[in-house]
Amino acid sequence: MSYEIYFAYKSGATSHNLQTDSRRVIDARLRELLTNETETRQMADRIVMKRAGAIILDMPTSASNKEIISSVLYPRVGAPSKIENPVSLSCYIPGKAADFLKKRGDGSASKGLRLILIEVGGEEMRQAYQPKK
């Protein structure tokens, strides 16, 4: 997904445009525009950032750097959770138990544990593992 950042003026013109696929690059460019382009920033009306055409930042250039940076609506990284109220749990188990879970889950210990919990816990566990809507 591509990112785009630019200064927008009241006349509809834009300047300091940058398009990139890198979130790291676009974040660095935002900080650069806020700190190094003070004169241009004073003349511009707004600073705009888009991701895949959707606006994720549209702030007046008169706002503080901190306000602008904290207002960027970066998309959430990673796949969305598929179950309600997930809890991450770490535990130590014997190697043979881990191997058993992986075998049961076709190479995935968490899938193997899920299958065993559904088998043992019945309908209540099956409902807990249903994808959230």
Side-chain angles (χ1 to χ4, degrees):
M1 296 291 167
S2 64
Y3 289 94
E4 181 180 6
I5 189 169
Y6 55 87
F7 282 126
Y9 298 86
K10 289 182 181 177
S11 66
T14 62
S15 70
H16 294 74
N17 296 47
L18 173 70
Q19 289 186 344
T20 181
D21 289 332
S22 171
R23 179 173 168 171
R24 180 183 52 80
V25 170
I26 207 74
D27 188 58
R29 179 65 171 168
L30 172 63
R31 292 170 191 277
E32 178 187 333
L33 289 175
L34 294 177
T35 56
N36 297 344
E37 298 293 337
T38 54
E39 188 175 315
T40 308
R41 183 176 169 183
Q42 290 172 353
M43 292 186 293
D45 182 45
R46 307 190 74 70
I47 186 163
V48 179
M49 186 186 300
K50 296 180 179 181
R51 179 179 181 268
I55 294 174
I56 60 173
L57 173 70
D58 187 358
M59 289 280 291
T61 53
S62 58
S64 71
N65 289 359
K66 188 175 183 178
E67 286 177 309
I68 293 172
I69 291 170
S70 64
S71 296
V72 178
L73 300 173
Y74 285 115
R76 185 172 175 268
V77 177
S81 173
K82 295 177 183 170
I83 58 175
E84 293 267 345
N85 303 323
V87 176
S88 178
L89 178 67
S90 296
C91 62
Y92 293 99
I93 59 175
K96 286 188 178 188
D99 292 340
F100 174 78
L101 290 174
K102 287 179 185 176
K103 183 178 178 185
R104 188 74 182 261
D106 296 324
S108 170
S110 60
K111 182 179 177 184
L113 181 60
R114 183 180 71 231
L115 292 172
I116 292 171
L117 286 171
I118 289 172
E119 183 181 304
V120 173
E123 188 59 30
E124 183 181 355
M125 279 297 125
R126 185 177 311 285
Q127 291 298 321
Y129 275 104
Q130 290 298 315
K132 64 181 181 182
K133 295 172 184 166

Tab-separated table of all heavy atoms in Angstrom, residues 79-131:
chain	number	residue	atom	x	y	z
A	79	ALA	N	-2.437	-9.133	11.351
A	79	ALA	CA	-3.771	-9.641	11.049
A	79	ALA	C	-4.705	-9.343	12.218
A	79	ALA	O	-4.287	-9.385	13.372
A	79	ALA	CB	-3.713	-11.141	10.809
A	80	PRO	N	-5.948	-9.044	11.932
A	80	PRO	CA	-6.895	-8.811	13.027
A	80	PRO	C	-7.150	-10.091	13.815
A	80	PRO	O	-7.095	-11.189	13.268
A	80	PRO	CB	-8.162	-8.343	12.317
A	80	PRO	CG	-8.033	-8.797	10.921
A	80	PRO	CD	-6.568	-8.899	10.624
A	81	SER	N	-7.437	-9.927	15.076
A	81	SER	CA	-7.726	-11.070	15.932
A	81	SER	C	-8.980	-11.782	15.438
A	81	SER	O	-9.951	-11.150	15.059
A	81	SER	CB	-7.935	-10.588	17.366
A	81	SER	OG	-8.355	-11.643	18.164
A	82	LYS	N	-8.943	-13.100	15.466
A	82	LYS	CA	-10.070	-13.879	14.959
A	82	LYS	C	-10.987	-14.380	16.069
A	82	LYS	O	-12.013	-14.979	15.787
A	82	LYS	CB	-9.549	-15.062	14.152
A	82	LYS	CG	-8.817	-14.636	12.902
A	82	LYS	CD	-8.265	-15.816	12.164
A	82	LYS	CE	-7.468	-15.329	10.963
A	82	LYS	NZ	-6.720	-16.402	10.339
A	83	ILE	N	-10.597	-14.179	17.329
A	83	ILE	CA	-11.440	-14.635	18.431
A	83	ILE	C	-11.699	-13.476	19.389
A	83	ILE	O	-10.924	-12.522	19.440
A	83	ILE	CB	-10.811	-15.835	19.178
A	83	ILE	CG1	-9.438	-15.489	19.738
A	83	ILE	CG2	-10.724	-17.051	18.308
A	83	ILE	CD1	-8.817	-16.573	20.588
A	84	GLU	N	-12.786	-13.574	20.153
A	84	GLU	CA	-13.139	-12.544	21.123
A	84	GLU	C	-12.198	-12.605	22.319
A	84	GLU	O	-11.876	-13.675	22.818
A	84	GLU	CB	-14.570	-12.760	21.624
A	84	GLU	CG	-15.631	-12.541	20.593
A	84	GLU	CD	-16.186	-11.132	20.591
A	84	GLU	OE1	-15.957	-10.392	21.551
A	84	GLU	OE2	-16.842	-10.791	19.606
A	85	ASN	N	-11.770	-11.461	22.782
A	85	ASN	CA	-10.941	-11.322	23.983
A	85	ASN	C	-9.787	-12.328	24.051
A	85	ASN	O	-9.697	-13.116	24.989
A	85	ASN	CB	-11.803	-11.444	25.242
A	85	ASN	CG	-12.917	-10.437	25.256
A	85	ASN	OD1	-12.749	-9.305	24.819
A	85	ASN	ND2	-14.076	-10.839	25.731
A	86	PRO	N	-8.892	-12.323	23.072
A	86	PRO	CA	-7.780	-13.273	23.121
A	86	PRO	C	-6.804	-12.937	24.249
A	86	PRO	O	-6.655	-11.774	24.625
A	86	PRO	CB	-7.119	-13.094	21.761
A	86	PRO	CG	-7.438	-11.695	21.379
A	86	PRO	CD	-8.807	-11.424	21.936
A	87	VAL	N	-6.179	-13.951	24.800
A	87	VAL	CA	-5.199	-13.788	25.861
A	87	VAL	C	-3.942	-14.532	25.435
A	87	VAL	O	-4.005	-15.683	25.024
A	87	VAL	CB	-5.723	-14.375	27.201
A	87	VAL	CG1	-4.660	-14.293	28.274
A	87	VAL	CG2	-6.980	-13.656	27.637
A	88	SER	N	-2.806	-13.867	25.524
A	88	SER	CA	-1.535	-14.509	25.215
A	88	SER	C	-1.039	-15.207	26.471
A	88	SER	O	-1.049	-14.633	27.560
A	88	SER	CB	-0.526	-13.452	24.758
A	88	SER	OG	0.709	-14.055	24.503
A	89	LEU	N	-0.620	-16.444	26.320
A	89	LEU	CA	-0.208	-17.233	27.472
A	89	LEU	C	1.089	-17.960	27.146
A	89	LEU	O	1.198	-18.589	26.097
A	89	LEU	CB	-1.314	-18.256	27.809
A	89	LEU	CG	-1.060	-19.202	28.959
A	89	LEU	CD1	-1.014	-18.433	30.275
A	89	LEU	CD2	-2.149	-20.252	29.012
A	90	SER	N	2.048	-17.869	28.035
A	90	SER	CA	3.304	-18.611	27.877
A	90	SER	C	3.370	-19.672	28.961
A	90	SER	O	3.036	-19.408	30.115
A	90	SER	CB	4.509	-17.681	28.028
A	90	SER	OG	4.517	-16.718	27.007
A	91	CYS	N	3.793	-20.863	28.576
A	91	CYS	CA	3.936	-21.918	29.573
A	91	CYS	C	5.062	-22.854	29.142
A	91	CYS	O	5.405	-22.933	27.966
A	91	CYS	CB	2.627	-22.676	29.766
A	91	CYS	SG	2.041	-23.519	28.291
A	92	TYR	N	5.615	-23.519	30.108
A	92	TYR	CA	6.666	-24.498	29.842
A	92	TYR	C	6.041	-25.876	29.835
A	92	TYR	O	5.328	-26.254	30.768
A	92	TYR	CB	7.763	-24.415	30.911
A	92	TYR	CG	8.530	-23.125	30.855
A	92	TYR	CD1	8.248	-22.087	31.716
A	92	TYR	CD2	9.541	-22.946	29.910
A	92	TYR	CE1	8.942	-20.898	31.662
A	92	TYR	CE2	10.244	-21.756	29.851
A	92	TYR	CZ	9.947	-20.736	30.723
A	92	TYR	OH	10.640	-19.565	30.656
A	93	ILE	N	6.301	-26.626	28.768
A	93	ILE	CA	5.808	-27.999	28.670
A	93	ILE	C	6.950	-28.885	28.187
A	93	ILE	O	7.892	-28.395	27.557
A	93	ILE	CB	4.594	-28.111	27.710
A	93	ILE	CG1	4.957	-27.625	26.297
A	93	ILE	CG2	3.400	-27.338	28.252
A	93	ILE	CD1	3.850	-27.813	25.272
A	94	PRO	N	6.870	-30.169	28.462
A	94	PRO	CA	7.929	-31.066	27.983
A	94	PRO	C	7.978	-31.082	26.450
A	94	PRO	O	6.968	-30.838	25.781
A	94	PRO	CB	7.503	-32.442	28.515
A	94	PRO	CG	6.497	-32.174	29.570
A	94	PRO	CD	5.869	-30.856	29.263
A	95	GLY	N	9.145	-31.356	25.927
A	95	GLY	CA	9.325	-31.402	24.485
A	95	GLY	C	8.378	-32.374	23.799
A	95	GLY	O	7.864	-32.101	22.717
A	96	LYS	N	8.142	-33.509	24.449
A	96	LYS	CA	7.234	-34.497	23.863
A	96	LYS	C	5.816	-33.952	23.786
A	96	LYS	O	5.079	-34.257	22.842
A	96	LYS	CB	7.264	-35.801	24.665
A	96	LYS	CG	8.520	-36.597	24.441
A	96	LYS	CD	8.439	-37.953	25.094
A	96	LYS	CE	9.723	-38.722	24.783
A	96	LYS	NZ	9.658	-40.108	25.203
A	97	ALA	N	5.422	-33.149	24.786
A	97	ALA	CA	4.075	-32.558	24.762
A	97	ALA	C	3.967	-31.559	23.609
A	97	ALA	O	2.954	-31.509	22.908
A	97	ALA	CB	3.773	-31.873	26.092
A	98	ALA	N	5.029	-30.769	23.397
A	98	ALA	CA	5.030	-29.812	22.287
A	98	ALA	C	4.965	-30.550	20.957
A	98	ALA	O	4.230	-30.145	20.050
A	98	ALA	CB	6.267	-28.923	22.353
A	99	ASP	N	5.716	-31.628	20.845
A	99	ASP	CA	5.689	-32.428	19.619
A	99	ASP	C	4.295	-33.007	19.382
A	99	ASP	O	3.805	-33.039	18.247
A	99	ASP	CB	6.720	-33.565	19.690
A	99	ASP	CG	8.157	-33.054	19.674
A	99	ASP	OD1	8.373	-31.896	19.241
A	99	ASP	OD2	9.055	-33.807	20.101
A	100	PHE	N	3.652	-33.465	20.463
A	100	PHE	CA	2.305	-34.021	20.357
A	100	PHE	C	1.319	-32.945	19.862
A	100	PHE	O	0.503	-33.199	18.974
A	100	PHE	CB	1.857	-34.564	21.722
A	100	PHE	CG	0.434	-35.031	21.742
A	100	PHE	CD1	0.083	-36.255	21.196
A	100	PHE	CD2	-0.562	-34.244	22.297
A	100	PHE	CE1	-1.233	-36.685	21.204
A	100	PHE	CE2	-1.875	-34.662	22.309
A	100	PHE	CZ	-2.218	-35.891	21.767
A	101	LEU	N	1.414	-31.740	20.427
A	101	LEU	CA	0.520	-30.653	20.002
A	101	LEU	C	0.750	-30.295	18.538
A	101	LEU	O	-0.205	-30.068	17.789
A	101	LEU	CB	0.712	-29.419	20.888
A	101	LEU	CG	0.215	-29.531	22.328
A	101	LEU	CD1	0.605	-28.280	23.111
A	101	LEU	CD2	-1.283	-29.758	22.373
A	102	LYS	N	2.012	-30.238	18.134
A	102	LYS	CA	2.322	-29.914	16.735
A	102	LYS	C	1.792	-30.998	15.795
A	102	LYS	O	1.263	-30.702	14.726
A	102	LYS	CB	3.834	-29.750	16.548
A	102	LYS	CG	4.366	-28.472	17.135
A	102	LYS	CD	5.864	-28.372	16.935
A	102	LYS	CE	6.419	-27.151	17.625
A	102	LYS	NZ	7.878	-27.071	17.524
A	103	LYS	N	1.948	-32.263	16.209
A	103	LYS	CA	1.453	-33.363	15.381
A	103	LYS	C	-0.060	-33.287	15.260
A	103	LYS	O	-0.625	-33.453	14.183
A	103	LYS	CB	1.876	-34.699	15.999
A	103	LYS	CG	1.477	-35.898	15.179
A	103	LYS	CD	1.977	-37.178	15.832
A	103	LYS	CE	1.536	-38.388	15.018
A	103	LYS	NZ	1.899	-39.639	15.689
A	104	ARG	N	-0.719	-33.015	16.360
A	104	ARG	CA	-2.183	-32.919	16.387
A	104	ARG	C	-2.678	-31.736	15.547
A	104	ARG	O	-3.727	-31.798	14.930
A	104	ARG	CB	-2.642	-32.774	17.843
A	104	ARG	CG	-4.097	-32.858	18.058
A	104	ARG	CD	-4.568	-34.325	17.921
A	104	ARG	NE	-5.990	-34.424	18.072
A	104	ARG	CZ	-6.603	-34.789	19.180
A	104	ARG	NH1	-5.897	-35.126	20.238
A	104	ARG	NH2	-7.910	-34.833	19.215
A	105	GLY	N	-1.876	-30.656	15.521
A	105	GLY	CA	-2.283	-29.448	14.796
A	105	GLY	C	-1.628	-29.283	13.444
A	105	GLY	O	-1.473	-28.162	12.967
A	106	ASP	N	-1.180	-30.382	12.843
A	106	ASP	CA	-0.539	-30.335	11.516
A	106	ASP	C	0.625	-29.342	11.472
A	106	ASP	O	0.722	-28.522	10.566
A	106	ASP	CB	-1.560	-29.975	10.429
A	106	ASP	CG	-2.646	-31.023	10.278
A	106	ASP	OD1	-2.316	-32.221	10.436
A	106	ASP	OD2	-3.805	-30.644	10.018
A	107	GLY	N	1.479	-29.398	12.489
A	107	GLY	CA	2.665	-28.543	12.522
A	107	GLY	C	2.508	-27.298	13.376
A	107	GLY	O	3.465	-26.576	13.606
A	108	SER	N	1.317	-27.004	13.862
A	108	SER	CA	1.060	-25.823	14.682
A	108	SER	C	0.637	-26.258	16.081
A	108	SER	O	-0.429	-26.857	16.260
A	108	SER	CB	-0.039	-24.966	14.050
A	108	SER	OG	-0.444	-23.959	14.936
A	109	ALA	N	1.463	-25.915	17.080
A	109	ALA	CA	1.143	-26.291	18.456
A	109	ALA	C	-0.136	-25.598	18.929
A	109	ALA	O	-0.965	-26.209	19.611
A	109	ALA	CB	2.307	-25.946	19.382
A	110	SER	N	-0.335	-24.337	18.550
A	110	SER	CA	-1.535	-23.631	19.006
A	110	SER	C	-2.797	-24.228	18.375
A	110	SER	O	-3.835	-24.331	19.027
A	110	SER	CB	-1.440	-22.138	18.712
A	110	SER	OG	-1.311	-21.891	17.341
A	111	LYS	N	-2.699	-24.629	17.115
A	111	LYS	CA	-3.854	-25.275	16.472
A	111	LYS	C	-4.138	-26.614	17.153
A	111	LYS	O	-5.299	-26.966	17.385
A	111	LYS	CB	-3.588	-25.484	14.981
A	111	LYS	CG	-4.746	-26.104	14.248
A	111	LYS	CD	-4.459	-26.270	12.771
A	111	LYS	CE	-5.594	-26.970	12.049
A	111	LYS	NZ	-5.247	-27.206	10.642
A	112	GLY	N	-3.076	-27.365	17.488
A	112	GLY	CA	-3.256	-28.636	18.185
A	112	GLY	C	-3.912	-28.449	19.542
A	112	GLY	O	-4.825	-29.197	19.911
A	113	LEU	N	-3.480	-27.434	20.283
A	113	LEU	CA	-4.076	-27.151	21.584
A	113	LEU	C	-5.543	-26.761	21.422
A	113	LEU	O	-6.409	-27.209	22.181
A	113	LEU	CB	-3.299	-26.040	22.289
A	113	LEU	CG	-3.798	-25.641	23.675
A	113	LEU	CD1	-3.762	-26.828	24.628
A	113	LEU	CD2	-2.971	-24.487	24.215
A	114	ARG	N	-5.843	-25.938	20.414
A	114	ARG	CA	-7.224	-25.533	20.157
A	114	ARG	C	-8.107	-26.755	19.874
A	114	ARG	O	-9.200	-26.884	20.422
A	114	ARG	CB	-7.285	-24.559	18.987
A	114	ARG	CG	-8.695	-24.057	18.719
A	114	ARG	CD	-8.772	-23.102	17.563
A	114	ARG	NE	-8.563	-23.824	16.317
A	114	ARG	CZ	-7.698	-23.473	15.376
A	114	ARG	NH1	-6.948	-22.409	15.526
A	114	ARG	NH2	-7.577	-24.178	14.277
A	115	LEU	N	-7.609	-27.664	19.028
A	115	LEU	CA	-8.387	-28.864	18.696
A	115	LEU	C	-8.647	-29.723	19.929
A	115	LEU	O	-9.756	-30.243	20.116
A	115	LEU	CB	-7.674	-29.674	17.620
A	115	LEU	CG	-7.602	-29.021	16.240
A	115	LEU	CD1	-6.703	-29.827	15.316
A	115	LEU	CD2	-8.988	-28.858	15.657
A	116	ILE	N	-7.641	-29.869	20.789
A	116	ILE	CA	-7.811	-30.671	22.010
A	116	ILE	C	-8.800	-29.996	22.954
A	116	ILE	O	-9.661	-30.646	23.536
A	116	ILE	CB	-6.451	-30.914	22.699
A	116	ILE	CG1	-5.594	-31.842	21.829
A	116	ILE	CG2	-6.638	-31.488	24.093
A	116	ILE	CD1	-4.167	-31.975	22.290
A	117	LEU	N	-8.693	-28.674	23.095
A	117	LEU	CA	-9.625	-27.955	23.975
A	117	LEU	C	-11.068	-28.079	23.481
A	117	LEU	O	-11.992	-28.253	24.278
A	117	LEU	CB	-9.227	-26.478	24.085
A	117	LEU	CG	-8.002	-26.183	24.938
A	117	LEU	CD1	-7.590	-24.728	24.786
A	117	LEU	CD2	-8.250	-26.521	26.392
A	118	ILE	N	-11.256	-27.993	22.190
A	118	ILE	CA	-12.608	-28.141	21.636
A	118	ILE	C	-13.120	-29.562	21.862
A	118	ILE	O	-14.277	-29.762	22.224
A	118	ILE	CB	-12.624	-27.765	20.136
A	118	ILE	CG1	-12.439	-26.250	19.991
A	118	ILE	CG2	-13.910	-28.225	19.467
A	118	ILE	CD1	-12.249	-25.781	18.559
A	119	GLU	N	-12.237	-30.535	21.684
A	119	GLU	CA	-12.617	-31.940	21.882
A	119	GLU	C	-13.012	-32.204	23.330
A	119	GLU	O	-14.026	-32.832	23.600
A	119	GLU	CB	-11.440	-32.832	21.479
A	119	GLU	CG	-11.696	-34.308	21.569
A	119	GLU	CD	-10.449	-35.087	21.169
A	119	GLU	OE1	-9.948	-34.875	20.046
A	119	GLU	OE2	-9.977	-35.880	21.998
A	120	VAL	N	-12.229	-31.680	24.258
A	120	VAL	CA	-12.464	-31.933	25.681
A	120	VAL	C	-13.532	-31.004	26.249
A	120	VAL	O	-14.375	-31.427	27.038
A	120	VAL	CB	-11.144	-31.784	26.488
A	120	VAL	CG1	-11.393	-31.884	27.971
A	120	VAL	CG2	-10.141	-32.829	26.048
A	121	GLY	N	-13.512	-29.737	25.833
A	121	GLY	CA	-14.421	-28.741	26.406
A	121	GLY	C	-15.795	-28.703	25.791
A	121	GLY	O	-16.673	-27.997	26.287
A	122	GLY	N	-15.982	-29.386	24.686
A	122	GLY	CA	-17.299	-29.472	24.079
A	122	GLY	C	-17.771	-28.177	23.444
A	122	GLY	O	-16.984	-27.371	22.936
A	123	GLU	N	-19.082	-27.982	23.516
A	123	GLU	CA	-19.722	-26.849	22.827
A	123	GLU	C	-19.255	-25.498	23.362
A	123	GLU	O	-19.112	-24.537	22.606
A	123	GLU	CB	-21.245	-26.978	22.942
A	123	GLU	CG	-22.013	-25.982	22.110
A	123	GLU	CD	-21.709	-26.063	20.613
A	123	GLU	OE1	-21.379	-27.162	20.115
A	123	GLU	OE2	-21.797	-25.021	19.948
A	124	GLU	N	-19.003	-25.415	24.652
A	124	GLU	CA	-18.542	-24.146	25.241
A	124	GLU	C	-17.214	-23.704	24.620
A	124	GLU	O	-17.039	-22.544	24.262
A	124	GLU	CB	-18.394	-24.300	26.756
A	124	GLU	CG	-17.995	-23.017	27.449
A	124	GLU	CD	-17.840	-23.194	28.947
A	124	GLU	OE1	-18.124	-24.285	29.484
A	124	GLU	OE2	-17.413	-22.215	29.576
A	125	MET	N	-16.286	-24.625	24.463
A	125	MET	CA	-14.991	-24.302	23.844
A	125	MET	C	-15.159	-24.031	22.360
A	125	MET	O	-14.522	-23.141	21.807
A	125	MET	CB	-13.988	-25.439	24.041
A	125	MET	CG	-13.317	-25.469	25.371
A	125	MET	SD	-12.323	-23.987	25.642
A	125	MET	CE	-13.034	-23.431	27.167
A	126	ARG	N	-16.021	-24.772	21.706
A	126	ARG	CA	-16.254	-24.543	20.268
A	126	ARG	C	-16.768	-23.118	20.046
A	126	ARG	O	-16.336	-22.430	19.148
A	126	ARG	CB	-17.251	-25.577	19.738
A	126	ARG	CG	-17.465	-25.488	18.230
A	126	ARG	CD	-18.391	-26.568	17.696
A	126	ARG	NE	-18.079	-27.932	18.133
A	126	ARG	CZ	-17.071	-28.664	17.672
A	126	ARG	NH1	-16.277	-28.182	16.734
A	126	ARG	NH2	-16.858	-29.892	18.116
A	127	GLN	N	-17.686	-22.667	20.909
A	127	GLN	CA	-18.217	-21.306	20.799
A	127	GLN	C	-17.130	-20.266	21.072
A	127	GLN	O	-17.090	-19.224	20.436
A	127	GLN	CB	-19.384	-21.099	21.783
A	127	GLN	CG	-20.627	-21.876	21.427
A	127	GLN	CD	-21.195	-21.458	20.079
A	127	GLN	OE1	-21.202	-20.306	19.732
A	127	GLN	NE2	-21.640	-22.458	19.320
A	128	ALA	N	-16.244	-20.555	22.039
A	128	ALA	CA	-15.159	-19.612	22.363
A	128	ALA	C	-14.201	-19.430	21.192
A	128	ALA	O	-13.616	-18.367	21.018
A	128	ALA	CB	-14.394	-20.109	23.597
A	129	TYR	N	-14.049	-20.472	20.386
A	129	TYR	CA	-13.128	-20.402	19.249
A	129	TYR	C	-13.797	-20.000	17.938
A	129	TYR	O	-13.162	-19.984	16.907
A	129	TYR	CB	-12.410	-21.740	19.056
A	129	TYR	CG	-11.182	-21.860	19.932
A	129	TYR	CD1	-11.205	-22.647	21.080
A	129	TYR	CD2	-10.015	-21.176	19.634
A	129	TYR	CE1	-10.087	-22.754	21.886
A	129	TYR	CE2	-8.902	-21.271	20.426
A	129	TYR	CZ	-8.945	-22.063	21.559
A	129	TYR	OH	-7.847	-22.156	22.348
A	130	GLN	N	-15.084	-19.667	17.977
A	130	GLN	CA	-15.756	-19.214	16.761
A	130	GLN	C	-15.205	-17.844	16.384
A	130	GLN	O	-14.989	-16.999	17.248
A	130	GLN	CB	-17.267	-19.114	16.966
A	130	GLN	CG	-17.947	-20.456	17.105
A	130	GLN	CD	-17.779	-21.304	15.859
A	130	GLN	OE1	-17.945	-20.839	14.747
A	130	GLN	NE2	-17.424	-22.559	16.071
A	131	PRO	N	-14.995	-17.595	15.093
A	131	PRO	CA	-14.512	-16.273	14.676
A	131	PRO	C	-15.494	-15.187	15.096
A	131	PRO	O	-16.701	-15.378	15.035
A	131	PRO	CB	-14.458	-16.372	13.140
A	131	PRO	CG	-14.418	-17.827	12.847
A	131	PRO	CD	-15.151	-18.507	13.966
